[in-house]
Amino acid sequence: MITFLLYLLESLGRWIIQYVHSFFAALQLSLVILKRGGVYQSQHRKNHLIQHTITAQIIFSGIDTLFPTLFILSIFIGLGVTAQLILFLQTFSSEAEVIRLLTKFIALQLSPTLTAIILISRSGSAITVDIGNMVVHQETKGLAFLGVDPYVYLAYPRIIALAISQMTLAVYVATFSIVFGIFFSGLLGSPSNFKYFFIVIDSFTNQELFLFLLKNLLSGAAIAGYACYFAFNIQSCITEVPQATQKAIVHSLIVIFIINTLFAII
Amino acid sequence: MLIKAEEAQPNENSPALSCLLPENSTLCFHSASINLSLYLQMLDKHFPAYSGNIRYIKPLNTAYINHEIQLVSWLSGFANLTLAANYHQQGSRQEITERAYYLLNYFSCNSIHSSLPNFISPLEKKYFLIARALMLEPQVVFLDKPFIGLNKQEAEKLREKLIPLANEFKLTLITNETGLDFIQRAQAQIIHYDAQKFHQFSHWKPFQHYLKRHEK
């Protein structure tokens, strides 16, 4: 029994050490990518190559994800979570407390988390597979021989695009979740619930909004950072691509929850 | 003269190379017994020489192509061609496009410029790889085993494109093609490895005499 417990502790410890190592390695790589990309863009202001790549990635990660995936998700969050919370809390809580829960929980915590999960499964995995296949087939080596920095051409636009997409999509999901929630609570309960439309608008402080945007920027960058880190670390075997994808997804999920927790404490 | 190698070794087990690499010509490394790829990579400064010295007489723009390198699979042939030139802003967009079409014309790839790399033949991929490197107007092109993966007919077609390449684009083409036919037809200079030593020949005739003498 004791041996088994010790084995469990040892495995957990080893996993934590590996995770922390991956976290700092991915963080270092992300900072290097952002620095190189920034230097390239400052030296080539008239070059639209990177901007086109960022735009294409925003279209794929942001616009294509918004409708119908996140839109339908927002409807279900509104109906299944927000409306139910409003109807339940109204019986014993004041108006201010209901609004506080809507803003703190639905808008500032739940919506960004679910948006990040969708983005991880949709874009994070795609980035790892895309870049991973390029590494396995020596396409990145070919780019390097031409003086094209793979970090600048492949990774930098994806980190910027995912940060912008996560921030924008989280705003959309939070808004739609609240709006649909209030709407359904008005339909299922009393039409007087529609008053929350007007009250919720003034319920966010500037600090909360700023931290919300910052949290989502960091989350998006973290998702892309992990995807790129595990993709570029693939050696030469095609079977490493799905393994790297799985690692990127798991590590991204954990860091998203860590970021959310840290910002919730703040 | 562009590059001077003085007793340069890629590693401790490889023989030392001393040679002068000229401007605007074709030069072939020839050997059946040692890995010449290391020497091409050393001359292209992929790694420092283990011993000896490699001197670039003036700053050079070089290109290196081997059989491992692939085109970007999600870009069309034309987009692959213009990628590096756009990245380095090597001229205006119109100039880059014109140069790309000139190279497509030279390699007779106009009809497939919009195809993805997975839908073109190995020979056409080689054409695009070489054309992609030429877009950056290099002064020296290192072609490491260019005929690997090609059948006899495809290799012959590639030879026909490579033979006039140095004159057409005013560059030095350095390859480790081991076929004597290519060396003769290209009127290339030769660096031949034999008896643990490199011998440089400025022309096919002296090299041919050397081979005949040593065959006996």
Side-chain angles (χ1 to χ4, degrees), chain A residues 221-255:
Chain A
I223 294 168
Y226 265 120
C228 294
Y229 168 72
F230 284 107
F232 279 116
N233 273 306
I234 290 169
Q235 299 301 316
S236 55
C237 184
I238 196 77
T239 54
E240 289 183 57
V241 176
Q243 289 172 21
T245 310
Q246 174 241 344
K247 282 181 194 170
I249 290 171
V250 169
H251 282 73
S252 298
L253 278 170
I254 293 170
V255 88

Side-chain angles (χ1 to χ4, degrees), chain B residues 1 4 16-17 26 30 35 38 45 58 60 86 99 111 123 164 172 175 177 187 190 193 214:
Chain B
M1 186 180 60
K4 187 177 180 183
L17 169 70
T26 305
H30 183 265
N35 180 9
L38 289 175
K45 295 193 174 179
K58 55 183 179 181
L60 287 177
N86 279 321
R99 185 165 172 83
S111 59
L123 174 64
T172 298
T175 177
E177 159 59 19
Q187 296 186 3
I190 305 113
Y193 176 76
H214 285 80

Side-chain angles (χ1 to χ4, degrees), chain B:
Chain B
M1 186 180 60
L2 290 178
I3 304 173
K4 187 177 180 183
E6 295 162 341
E7 298 290 314
Q9 278 179 284
N11 55 51
E12 61 179 348
N13 297 321
S14 300
L17 169 70
S18 292
C19 66
L20 300 171
L21 303 183
E23 263 183 275
N24 296 342
S25 61
T26 305
L27 188 139
C28 289
F29 280 80
H30 183 265
S31 168
S33 54
I34 60 167
N35 180 9
L36 293 166
S37 299
L38 289 175
Y39 291 90
L40 260 67
Q41 290 164 10
M42 183 181 66
L43 289 168
D44 194 32
K45 295 193 174 179
H46 290 198
F47 51 83
Y50 175 78
S51 69
N53 190 30
I54 294 173
R55 204 156 55 91
Y56 277 28
I57 307 305
K58 55 183 179 181
L60 287 177
N61 183 6
T62 64
Y64 176 87
I65 304 153
N66 71 0
H67 60 280
E68 292 174 349
I69 294 166
Q70 300 292 330
L71 298 167
V72 178
S73 54
W74 41 270
L75 290 177
S76 69
F78 184 82
N80 263 291
L81 224 57
T82 54
L83 170 61
N86 279 321
Y87 180 88
H88 295 292
Q89 287 185 280
Q90 200 123 352
S92 66
R93 201 175 283 184
Q94 191 184 351
E95 286 168 358
I96 291 171
T97 308
E98 280 172 9
R99 185 165 172 83
Y101 277 116
Y102 176 73
L103 284 164
L104 284 170
N105 207 38
Y106 178 83
F107 286 105
S108 310
C109 289
N110 277 317
S111 59
I112 53 163
H113 73 280
S114 58
S115 302
L116 291 175
N118 284 339
F119 296 96
I120 59 179
S121 70
L123 174 64
E124 286 158 348
K125 278 184 199 169
K126 295 269 182 188
Y127 285 159
F128 274 110
L129 280 168
I130 297 168
R132 188 173 73 166
L134 292 175
M135 279 294 295
L136 298 178
E137 298 174 334
Q139 292 148 296
V140 183
V141 174
F142 293 93
L143 274 183
D144 193 348
K145 296 177 190 166
F147 301 105
I148 279 186
L150 301 178
N151 62 32
K152 213 173 172 181
Q153 287 84 13
E154 289 172 337
E156 179 55 34
K157 284 181 184 174
L158 183 58
R159 266 186 217 108
E160 282 168 18
K161 296 292 180 189
L162 292 181
I163 286 167
L165 198 78
N167 279 335
E168 180 74 25
F169 294 97
K170 304 285 180 286
L171 50 82
T172 298
L173 177 66
I174 300 171
T175 177
N176 53 357
E177 159 59 19
T178 56
L180 297 175
D181 179 48
F182 175 80
I183 294 171
Q184 185 181 3
R185 284 164 61 190
Q187 296 186 3
Q189 296 194 27
I190 305 113
I191 296 178
H192 174 70
Y193 176 76
D194 184 36
Q196 298 181 349
K197 203 179 161 191
F198 282 97
H199 309 268
Q200 187 162 4
F201 301 93
S202 59
H203 202 256
W204 163 252
K205 282 266 191 261
F207 178 55
Q208 194 181 25
H209 291 144
Y210 175 89
L211 286 177
K212 281 181 182 167
R213 215 166 46 239
H214 285 80
E215 263 170 28
K216 292 171 188 173

Side-chain angles (χ1 to χ4, degrees), chain A residues 40 43-44 46-50 52 130 134 137-139 141-143 145-149 152-154 158, chain B residues 44 46 62-64 66 68-75 80 83-84 86-89 93 129 132-133 136:
Chain A
Y40 175 84
Q43 290 172 350
H44 299 86
K46 291 183 184 173
N47 192 342
H48 300 295
L49 182 68
I50 303 300
H52 286 151
D130 187 16
M134 289 185 74
H137 293 116
Q138 310 277 7
E139 292 173 30
K141 202 175 180 182
L143 289 176
F145 280 142
L146 293 168
V148 177
D149 189 341
V152 172
Y153 178 62
L154 297 173
R158 284 162 171 80
Chain B
D44 194 32
H46 290 198
T62 64
Y64 176 87
N66 71 0
E68 292 174 349
I69 294 166
Q70 300 292 330
L71 298 167
V72 178
S73 54
W74 41 270
L75 290 177
N80 263 291
L83 170 61
N86 279 321
Y87 180 88
H88 295 292
Q89 287 185 280
R93 201 175 283 184
L129 280 168
R132 188 173 73 166
L136 298 178

Side-chain angles (χ1 to χ4, degrees), chain A residues 159-227:
Chain A
I159 291 181
I160 300 293
L162 244 71
I164 295 171
S165 299
Q166 169 68 23
M167 186 181 67
T168 322
L169 290 173
V171 170
Y172 275 112
V173 172
T175 308
F176 288 148
S177 303
I178 301 267
V179 164
F180 283 121
I182 295 171
F183 176 73
F184 285 121
S185 72
L187 285 182
L188 296 171
S190 158
S192 64
N193 288 339
F194 291 130
K195 66 179 182 251
Y196 290 117
F197 279 128
F198 307 102
I199 304 170
V200 79
I201 291 169
D202 295 322
S203 306
F204 295 96
T205 64
N206 288 339
Q207 188 192 10
E208 281 174 345
L209 288 174
F210 173 73
L211 288 174
F212 173 81
L213 293 174
L214 181 63
K215 176 176 76 173
N216 284 293
L217 269 176
L218 287 176
S219 299
I223 294 168
Y226 265 120

